[in-house]
Amino acid sequence: MRTPWYDKIMSLDKKILYVIMFIVVMIPLLAKWTYNPAVMPEVKDIYDEIEGIYAYNQSHPDTPQGILVSFDYSPSTNAELDPMTMSILRHAFMRNIPVITWSAFPDSIDLAKTITTYIAKEFRAVYGQDFVFMGYPYPMNAAVIAFGSDVRNFLVKDFYGNLSTDLPLLNKIYNYKSIGLIVTVSGTSYPRFWVTYANTLYGKKIATGTTAVSAAEFYPFLQTDQMIGMMGGLRGAAEYEKLVEALEITIIGDDIERYLRNLYSPEDDFPWDTKIFAPGFTDEELREHLSTRKTARTGMASQASSHFYVIVLIILANLGYFFKRRAENKR
Amino acid sequence: MKKKVFVLIGCALFFFLPLIFAQESAPAEFFLRDTPNNAGEQVELTFRPLASPEEVPEFLLNITIGEKPVRVRRLVNAGKPVILPLITHQAGVPVKVEVQGVLPDGSLTDLGAVDVVSKGEWLNMNSMKAFILGLLFIGLIIFYVGRAKRGQDLFIRKIPGLEAIDDALGRATEMGRPVFYIPGTSSMADVATLASLNILRPVARQVAKYETPFSVPVKDPIVVSVAQDVVKEAYMAAGRPDLYEDGIAYLASMGQFDYSGAVSGSMVREKPATVFLLGMFYAESLILAETANSVGAIQIAGTDASSQLPFFIAACDYTLIGEELYAASAYMSREPLLLGTLKAQDILKGILLVIFVLAVIFQLLGVDFIMDSFLNPQW
Amino acid sequence: MKRTLPLFLAFFFGIIGIIVQMVPALKGLMDTMLDWMAIIAAFALAVGISSLTRHHMTKIRRKHKDIFFSYVTFIAMFFMTIIGLVGYFRPEGALQGLFENMYNYVRVPLDASMFALLAFYITSAAYRAFRARTWLATVLLLAGVIVMIGRVAFGPFIIFNDITAWIMKVPTTAAMRAVNVGIGLGIVATSIKIVLGIERSYLGGGE
């Protein structure tokens, strides 16, 4: 007797499912499809906050406000979280907002340094003036509290060994009074820590970027306004990426490649600190810089297609189950 | 006449005194106090600037803690009060803070000094609520254990995952294939691991009775030695010490994904008929559960990691959700002592539920004290 | 004695643990206990390595059919230990670089690959588990599908976006809280049982 179709569906070999999953994930990545997400209010809130800081800085050029970006994740979650820090930093540098970054774990120092300088380079940001990287403050809670008075006393030197008091940016922005927003990007429960200290003690605004799995943990903080916004998972990163891209088009224009190519000319006499980054981009680097503007949305295309694939599978399995049961009932 | 003079003077004082004080009001108000509810490792300075940032833009705090040299901290006048914790590390350390105001022209003005000696407290009032609740819980446990000892029957609802254990072990015996028991991937400090080891004993005993091959791959070295002991005792209790060997419970690997790789590998090679996944799990939960499923094993899972529960529920045949894991050892042994604690747990849960509901009702009625008294850490 | 001593220790340190939380002046005691824990944990590494070695030695001695993997384990373990130790004491030598490369380009990608397998496992788990067997299972199925579409919603599916947000914020959070309250009580109950010596299965015997 021939096996009925529903039985075949019900006992489909897993290997077939896996191979199709592999193809479904790979095609959008290879074809460089991008996904255009609808922006959720919790992500838009972060964007608006940074725009607010920009507006404030326009009207108060002598006492600007900066943002503190804390890299609270280790490399294992960077696929989801790197696009978030990159977009946030792009937004800040584009708007000339002073940026302070640091990392909460020893194994994320390298990651934080690389991303900070990588994005700074795209906007001719000058180390010490437009941004600083403070390395790995230890213990973290002491550093967070030190920011309440004067962080230069606690972090005497930055990551590169410069005295904090020698850095023009830190001489303007050295405590919470001049920090407009704290962005904590983390796959752990670190954002809770920021809420406890920086928000509860000093009333600072906290924005969080977190992995999709942890997002459910932080919704209660959004409800109580202890966090002003949240980017949840790759989806949240894609939303922010989209907002920043739109801004980039208004400010810089469509042709980012030309912009980057012409950013550093050979006759540039600005004394770049090559310890931080070397001016100019090779073709390879240019390609990379352009593709990181779409990382989250390309990843989301992959994620979207795999979600739909799983949904199709679920429907298929349920059809098989339904017809099998009906056939059994008839018998 | 005299009376009038007094009244006049009184009135004058009434009107002018505040003015005198107002003129003398300092640019800042500050006091130092020992931080309550700790061992004296910290004192805190409460600093309230009264002058506007234009009058006094900054303050200098000269802080002396014990024998240490004076530290100077700059405090920007943000117009808002600040609480500054000062770490003394131990009780009995004198702390002194001298405050100076920095005027707009850069000159300094002394605003006085405050001092305090750090001291430890004997009772942490912040933990009082937890302590009282804990005492109540212990009281309930003692009460119900007593009742259970007197032979009173305590009802316990059916937990399908635990009912299935016997059948699952029987199946492995019939098929002549091994049983795998994974006690989570956390350390002994996790109560879920302890709960899992509590279930390991009856499972191992049954396995020994049936003479089924048994394997307990572990991720934590301390858990290995405990698991070895538990299995050994269980084999002895079943009267089969001859079947026991130390290799039954072994350290597979100490890295998260190395462990899941190692265990998945041995599952694929040894094709267990039954796999227990009980304890604390992280991202590796689904890898283990799906591999077990792919080799045709019955999986009985249980964890209190709420983010991993959905994976287990989707992939496993039976899942113990959260507290069911903790109830398992009482359920399986039917020992009155353990059943008594289960009952006490239910009663406490009932009490908490009543408080929740009351709090919601009172909050709706605009009476805040229940909510407030629970949210406020101090009593 | 074999049973009494561990029970007594569990009781003694359990009670101390509670007291330390209540009496801050005894914080120093807590720190000492934590130091001891760190020391004991360091010894546990030796226990772990000995357990692993014994397990695989037994397999090799008995000529188990999977003997190959036991050899792989030993070779990997000794290789990494030796180059790691030599590299540590001679950081200028080639072995230090080899160790780092082995870590960065062998171990880390292997780790990431295991993690990435989740994508496949989720597929087959969803295919098997999301069946409309009962009406409750149907609710789960529908919620799952809605959230899956909602997380990647575009164009005509955009309505799912808002439904997903609601599902995550309201029912999920509520259920999470309920499960967590139960878990919290379970943890407390188990801890008290262990401290009071009511629960002793973890010591091997209940009798």
Side-chain angles (χ1 to χ4, degrees):
Chain A
M1 196 185 108
R2 220 160 54 91
T3 338
W5 65 273
Y6 45 78
D7 267 350
K8 274 188 199 155
I9 283 186
M10 298 294 282
S11 54
L12 207 60
D13 192 357
K14 273 182 191 173
K15 288 183 196 97
I16 300 172
L17 300 183
Y18 291 168
V19 169
I20 301 176
M21 182 52 138
F22 180 74
I23 297 169
V24 164
V25 169
M26 287 313 286
I27 287 177
L29 287 180
L30 293 177
K32 299 203 169 129
W33 289 347
T34 52
Y35 163 77
N36 183 19
V39 179
M40 306 279 268
E42 54 260 35
V43 176
K44 185 75 171 43
D45 286 345
I46 306 179
Y47 180 86
D48 291 343
E49 197 64 45
I50 295 185
E51 284 296 293
I53 298 174
Y54 166 68
Y56 176 90
N57 289 356
Q58 290 299 97
S59 55
H60 301 77
D62 297 330
T63 52
Q65 292 216 311
I67 65 167
L68 171 65
V69 181
S70 187
F71 286 73
D72 300 339
Y73 62 99
S74 57
S76 60
T77 40
N78 65 354
E80 254 177 308
L81 302 178
D82 276 358
M84 295 182 190
T85 43
M86 286 191 172
S87 307
I88 292 275
L89 288 175
R90 271 198 186 107
H91 189 184
F93 283 126
M94 216 179 326
R95 287 304 200 181
N96 270 328
I97 296 171
V99 172
I100 301 173
T101 60
W102 68 28
S103 73
F105 304 110
D107 55 350
S108 50
I109 296 173
D110 202 48
L111 178 148
K113 184 192 75 176
T114 313
I115 292 181
T116 309
T117 50
Y118 187 85
I119 306 295
K121 188 175 167 179
E122 291 177 1
F123 300 95
R124 284 176 72 97
V126 180
Y127 189 80
Q129 233 163 51
D130 302 323
F131 73 105
V132 288
F133 175 55
M134 301 312 289
Y136 166 53
Y138 184 83
M140 192 65 173
N141 53 354
V144 171
I145 289 169
F147 238 114
S149 52
D150 185 347
V151 77
R152 290 170 301 178
N153 290 340
F154 184 79
L155 298 170
V156 182
K157 286 179 179 173
D158 69 351
F159 174 77
Y160 299 99
N162 306 310
L163 280 177
S164 304
T165 41
D166 290 347
L167 297 167
L169 184 146
L170 279 189
N171 285 334
K172 253 188 254 166
I173 295 166
Y174 52 86
N175 71 7
Y176 285 132
K177 205 184 140 201
S178 40
I179 293 284
L181 179 68
I182 295 167
V183 184
T184 154
V185 181
S186 177
T188 64
S189 53
Y190 243 80
R192 271 172 195 271
F193 161 87
W194 280 102
V195 166
T196 315
Y197 284 92
N199 179 273
T200 313
L201 274 182
Y202 299 101
K204 279 319 338 170
K205 290 177 177 169
I206 313 279
T208 308
T210 182
T211 50
V213 175
S214 312
E217 195 183 329
F218 301 122
Y219 275 110
F221 293 108
L222 286 176
Q223 288 169 352
T224 54
D225 282 337
Q226 284 167 295
M227 290 177 183
I228 60 127
M230 176 171 81
M231 295 173 276
L234 204 59
R235 161 78 195 258
E239 291 168 33
Y240 209 89
E241 212 177 70
K242 181 181 160 184
L243 290 171
V244 172
E245 190 187 62
L247 183 70
E248 206 169 34
I249 289 171
T250 359
I251 296 178
I252 298 172
D254 280 336
D255 199 348
I256 304 292
E257 189 178 346
R258 209 184 59 188
Y259 158 79
L260 287 178
R261 215 179 269 287
N262 300 333
L263 197 57
Y264 299 93
S265 59
E267 52 272 15
D268 221 331
D269 55 353
F270 197 91
W272 296 106
D273 188 350
T274 45
K275 197 167 67 181
I276 314 291
F277 58 77
F281 300 95
T282 63
D283 284 347
E284 165 91 37
E285 281 172 348
L286 266 183
R287 261 201 307 279
E288 219 182 54
H289 277 269
L290 289 175
S291 83
T292 55
R293 284 173 157 68
K294 290 194 167 67
T295 321
R297 280 170 297 166
T298 328
M300 273 309 286
S302 219
Q303 193 169 319
S305 57
S306 58
H307 278 203
F308 281 106
Y309 168 58
V310 171
I311 291 168
V312 169
L313 284 183
I314 291 175
I315 294 172
L316 210 66
N318 273 290
L319 283 178
Y321 177 70
F322 177 75
F323 280 101
K324 187 179 175 177
R325 214 168 48 171
R326 212 171 66 164
E328 274 168 4
N329 284 349
K330 265 188 196 160
R331 241 178 273 155
Chain B
M1 187 64 200
K2 242 184 185 176
K3 222 177 178 180
K4 270 186 183 170
V5 174
F6 276 125
V7 171
L8 268 177
I9 293 174
C11 286
L13 276 178
F14 183 78
F15 282 107
F16 289 108
L17 260 184
L19 278 181
I20 294 165
F21 277 108
Q23 274 163 2
E24 284 186 1
S25 87
E29 195 177 80
F30 49 91
F31 60 91
L32 203 54
R33 67 160 189 165
D34 177 65
T35 308
N37 298 315
N38 70 359
E41 70 270 18
Q42 181 183 306
V43 298
E44 47 192 44
L45 175 77
T46 309
F47 191 91
R48 194 174 293 119
L50 298 175
S52 69
E54 288 76 32
E55 287 167 320
V56 187
E58 278 185 336
F59 296 97
L60 284 185
L61 309 178
N62 302 297
I63 303 163
T64 324
I65 298 175
E67 308 279 295
K68 282 193 215 155
V70 181
R71 255 190 324 151
V72 182
R73 281 182 97 157
R74 201 169 273 275
L75 199 69
V76 174
N77 185 357
K80 271 192 272 180
V82 182
I83 295 175
L84 208 63
L86 303 171
I87 309 295
T88 55
H89 295 295
Q90 58 190 36
V93 177
V95 179
K96 188 176 178 195
V97 180
E98 287 169 317
V99 183
Q100 290 171 307
V102 184
L103 300 177
D105 58 6
S107 61
L108 298 176
T109 146
D110 272 332
L111 302 178
V114 279
D115 53 11
V116 76
V117 177
S118 67
K119 64 175 201 288
E121 277 79 27
W122 281 103
L123 218 50
N124 180 358
M125 292 311 281
N126 289 346
S127 307
M128 222 29 177
K129 230 175 308 189
F131 184 66
I132 292 173
L133 221 55
L135 280 186
L136 176 72
F137 201 3
I138 294 179
L140 281 171
I141 288 177
I142 293 171
F143 176 72
Y144 279 101
V145 165
R147 273 178 70 167
K149 268 188 181 163
R150 284 197 299 274
Q152 203 171 58
D153 196 30
L154 294 174
F155 170 77
I156 180 164
R157 77 173 162 87
K158 252 188 154 80
I159 301 180
L162 297 172
E163 290 286 311
I165 287 182
D166 260 351
D167 292 340
L169 294 177
R171 176 174 180 261
T173 315
E174 279 165 25
M175 295 168 83
R177 276 159 53 176
V179 173
F180 271 44
Y181 189 102
I182 297 163
T185 54
S186 186
S187 69
M188 211 56 198
D190 227 313
V191 184
T193 311
L194 280 167
S196 175
L197 291 171
N198 285 335
I199 310 171
L200 174 62
R201 191 178 69 96
V203 169
R205 209 157 128 176
Q206 206 75 325
V207 166
K209 228 184 259 170
Y210 294 161
E211 298 178 26
T212 316
F214 193 37
S215 185
V216 186
V218 183
K219 184 176 159 266
D220 184 276
I222 298 186
V223 180
V224 173
S225 27
V226 180
Q228 280 175 343
D229 258 14
V230 171
V231 174
K232 193 174 180 179
E233 295 275 343
Y235 272 62
M236 288 194 342
R240 298 309 304 265
D242 51 312
L243 289 178
Y244 175 77
E245 52 175 300
D246 271 349
I248 290 179
Y250 67 99
L251 184 92
S253 170
M254 284 170 70
Q256 182 186 17
F257 291 109
D258 326 1
Y259 175 81
S260 20
V263 176
S264 306
S266 31
M267 277 188 205
V268 170
R269 290 189 295 272
E270 294 173 33
K271 304 229 174 331
T274 305
V275 174
F276 292 90
L277 298 152
L278 300 169
M280 185 71 190
F281 289 89
Y282 303 92
E284 70 285 347
S285 61
L286 189 64
I287 297 179
L288 298 171
E290 268 303 287
T291 316
N293 175 270
S294 71
V295 298
I298 282 195
Q299 316 111 288
I300 297 179
T303 184
D304 66 351
S306 39
S307 53
Q308 301 306 326
L309 274 172
F311 296 124
F312 277 152
I313 291 170
C316 297
D317 299 290
Y318 298 96
T319 307
L320 304 177
I321 297 173
E323 59 192 308
E324 288 178 346
L325 176 68
Y326 297 110
S329 83
Y331 188 92
M332 290 171 75
S333 66
R334 301 275 160 174
E335 218 178 286
L337 279 173
L338 295 175
L339 285 179
T341 57
L342 222 51
K343 194 82 188 168
Q345 204 176 318
D346 276 354
I347 298 291
L348 191 67
K349 202 191 283 178
I351 294 174
L352 284 181
L353 266 177
V354 171
I355 293 174
F356 288 164
V357 173
L358 280 182
V360 171
I361 291 172
F362 277 104
Q363 197 76 13
L364 285 175
L365 295 175
V367 184
D368 295 341
F369 81 95
I370 291 193
M371 268 307 222
D372 289 349
S373 71
F374 259 83
L375 290 178
N376 182 12
Q378 284 184 4
W379 270 358
Chain C
M1 188 62 194
K2 206 181 157 211
R3 182 103 345 121
T4 326
L5 184 68
L7 276 178
F8 171 73
L9 288 178
F11 176 76
F12 182 72
F13 286 106
I15 294 291
I16 285 190
I18 297 172
I19 291 176
V20 165
Q21 291 302 321
M22 291 306 302
V23 185
L26 295 176
K27 195 177 152 278
L29 201 65
M30 185 72 179
D31 293 340
T32 317
M33 270 165 70
L34 289 177
D35 288 345
W36 272 98
M37 257 172 83
I39 294 169
I40 293 173
F43 277 106
L45 189 67
V47 175
I49 292 173
S50 107
S51 156
L52 185 76
T53 313
R54 253 190 302 174
H55 177 75
H56 287 284
M57 281 308 273
T58 319
K59 274 192 166 175
I60 290 175
R61 228 185 8 250
R62 291 195 185 152
K63 303 214 162 47
H64 191 276
K65 66 179 167 57
D66 299 322
I67 197 165
F68 171 72
F69 296 102
S70 297
Y71 284 125
V72 171
T73 308
F74 279 130
I75 291 170
M77 188 164 88
F78 287 119
F79 180 69
M80 285 304 273
T81 311
I82 290 167
I83 63 168
L85 280 176
V86 177
Y88 179 80
F89 288 111
R90 289 171 180 275
E92 69 284 353
L95 288 183
Q96 174 68 6
L98 180 64
F99 181 79
E100 275 172 17
N101 286 341
M102 289 296 287
Y103 188 85
N104 286 332
Y105 302 114
V106 178
R107 213 208 97 109
V108 172
L110 281 175
D111 230 33
S113 308
M114 279 310 289
F115 186 52
L117 283 181
L118 274 177
F120 300 106
Y121 288 149
I122 285 175
T123 320
S124 53
Y127 185 67
R128 205 176 59 245
F130 279 129
R131 301 238 166 107
R133 287 193 187 93
T134 58
W135 73 269
L136 273 177
T138 316
V139 173
L140 179 74
L141 173 79
L142 285 177
V145 170
I146 289 171
V147 172
M148 265 191 278
I149 300 177
R151 294 296 298 180
V152 296
F154 59 85
F157 300 109
I158 214 73
I159 175 76
F160 287 103
N161 211 7
D162 302 335
I163 307 177
T164 300
W166 181 82
I167 289 178
M168 293 299 286
K169 278 176 197 161
V170 184
T172 310
T173 310
M176 273 296 195
R177 282 184 177 144
V179 169
N180 284 338
V181 168
I183 289 173
L185 281 176
I187 291 179
V188 176
T190 309
S191 311
I192 290 178
K193 278 191 279 186
I194 287 169
V195 170
L196 296 183
I198 296 172
E199 177 76 81
R200 44 185 81 175
S201 313
Y202 71 99
L203 290 173
E207 295 83 83

